[in-house]
Amino acid sequence: MTAQPGSELSGRELATQIRATTAARAAELAAAGRPPRLAVVTATDDEASASYVRSIASAAARVGVACDVLRTSTANGISATLAQLADDPEVQGVILQTPLPDGAGLADLATAIPPEKDVDGASPASLGRLAAGLPAFPPATAEAVLALLDHYQVELRGRHAVVVGRSVVVGKPAAHLLLDRHATVTICHSRTPDLPAITRQADVLVVATGRASLIGPEHVSPGTTVVDVGTNATPDGLAGDVHPAVAAVAAALTPVPGGVGPVTTALLLRHVVEATAMAG
Ligand code: NDP
């Protein structure tokens, strides 16, 4: 499918396609006595997080991936649970849900997830492998950005991709994936002076800041394809990091909700099935 000027790059059709192939592969593995199984470790009462975990569990059920949600409340509890899961041959995929208990760091705790089970690319080993061009599961959100751009046949080779946000879970891995596809990549963050001057140079603009409507029409040039990763709870409902008025300027824009989000969940489950297949 090709992006048309001013078009909305919905993720729903792509997510449906990914779910269909994932369900077929999961059924084959289950028939061969190797049912795919995901474990989600969570240590928070945060309602947004709980809702995300429920959505993963129900999406998993729909594609035939078993999903266990394991609750604990401390960093030690997380470490002990992850250590058990690392050795459990029945579990092929492990996710550590954020937010974490005060003082606990995702990268630190996620070192306990072996790369072959790290289906959301959370451990430093996975990010390091990604940066080194070695096989690894990328964080599903970062991969979803690339999957959407590919789905709409957005050219990356030799184009200028600007990523706003440098988190370990989205911005940095997205930048690595864009670089692997021969884009010229600029990463911006909260200390970048004159953000609009840089983002206006983008052929492809990826925004992952967690700041609702940070990017306005003044940040975007005609011809730019914009991928909005942000999911922000506002009094008016879920909002992206990109103001809706950008649609009038940009060549194409992903919607929130319905853009990166559904593709992310679909890819996460595909990773679990791939991990099961590779577990042999
Ligand atoms: P983080 O808070 O970890 O990182 C935010 C990044 O944005 C930081 O690098 C920060 O810069 C940068 N930033 C913040 N404010 C500005 C600003 N004014 N100008 C430029 N850069 C800025 O967030 P995440 O990466 O975890 O998530 C980003 C967004 O993506 C959130 O809305 C989150 O909900 C969403 N998300 C969506 C997913 C999906 O499936 N759709 C999955 C995961 C996340 P600095 O480093 O300098 O602080």
Side-chain angles (χ1 to χ4, degrees):
M1 192 175 292
T2 312
Q4 300 299 320
S7 62
E8 181 185 84
L9 308 183
S10 167
R12 295 199 192 281
E13 181 190 89
L14 174 58
T16 302
Q17 287 172 10
I18 296 168
R19 278 196 300 270
T21 53
T22 300
R25 191 78 185 101
E28 283 170 13
L29 287 162
R34 296 158 59 204
R37 184 166 219 102
L38 167 70
V40 182
V41 179
T42 177
T44 174
D45 294 327
D46 178 79
E47 180 41 35
S49 170
S51 152
Y52 179 62
V53 171
R54 282 194 298 273
S55 76
I56 292 175
S58 80
R62 287 208 304 277
V63 298
V65 171
C67 179
D68 305 320
V69 179
L70 306 172
R71 293 179 197 288
T72 179
S73 55
T74 62
N76 284 343
I78 292 172
S79 294
T81 308
L82 292 179
Q84 264 174 13
L85 292 168
D87 292 335
D88 186 341
E90 305 292 316
V91 172
Q92 294 85 20
V94 177
I95 304 174
L96 175 55
Q97 183 59 22
T98 56
L100 296 168
D102 284 349
L106 176 66
D108 199 18
L109 290 170
T111 52
I113 307 174
E116 64 275 16
K117 295 189 180 188
D118 188 15
V119 289
D120 205 14
S123 81
S126 295
L127 185 65
R129 293 180 68 85
L130 193 69
L134 295 170
F137 290 114
T141 308
E143 191 182 12
V145 171
L146 274 289
L148 265 169
L149 292 169
D150 284 345
H151 181 68
Y152 288 100
Q153 298 177 12
V154 176
E155 182 66 62
L156 294 173
R157 177 184 287 261
R159 310 295 292 283
H160 187 189
V162 175
V163 180
V164 188
R166 57 175 166 180
S167 75
V168 170
V169 285
V170 191
K172 281 178 187 160
H176 283 304
L177 293 172
L178 288 161
L179 206 51
D180 287 347
R181 300 292 299 281
H182 310 296
T184 301
V185 181
T186 302
I187 306 178
C188 303
H189 46 78
S190 68
R191 270 73 149 196
T192 300
D194 200 359
L195 186 63
I198 297 172
T199 55
R200 277 200 302 267
Q201 297 172 27
D203 298 306
V204 173
L205 178 61
V206 178
V207 188
T209 65
R211 304 285 181 274
S213 297
L214 173 75
I215 299 297
E218 71 281 12
H219 291 83
V220 178
S221 295
T224 305
T225 298
V226 183
V227 180
D228 187 356
V229 180
T231 50
N232 308 290
T234 74
D236 300 326
L238 203 60
D241 293 351
V242 178
H243 194 281
V246 166
V249 181
L253 170 64
T254 60
V256 177
V260 174
V263 180
T264 297
T265 310
L267 286 173
L268 194 59
L269 296 170
R270 184 166 86 182
H271 290 175
V272 180
V273 169
E274 287 170 354
T276 307
M278 285 189 286

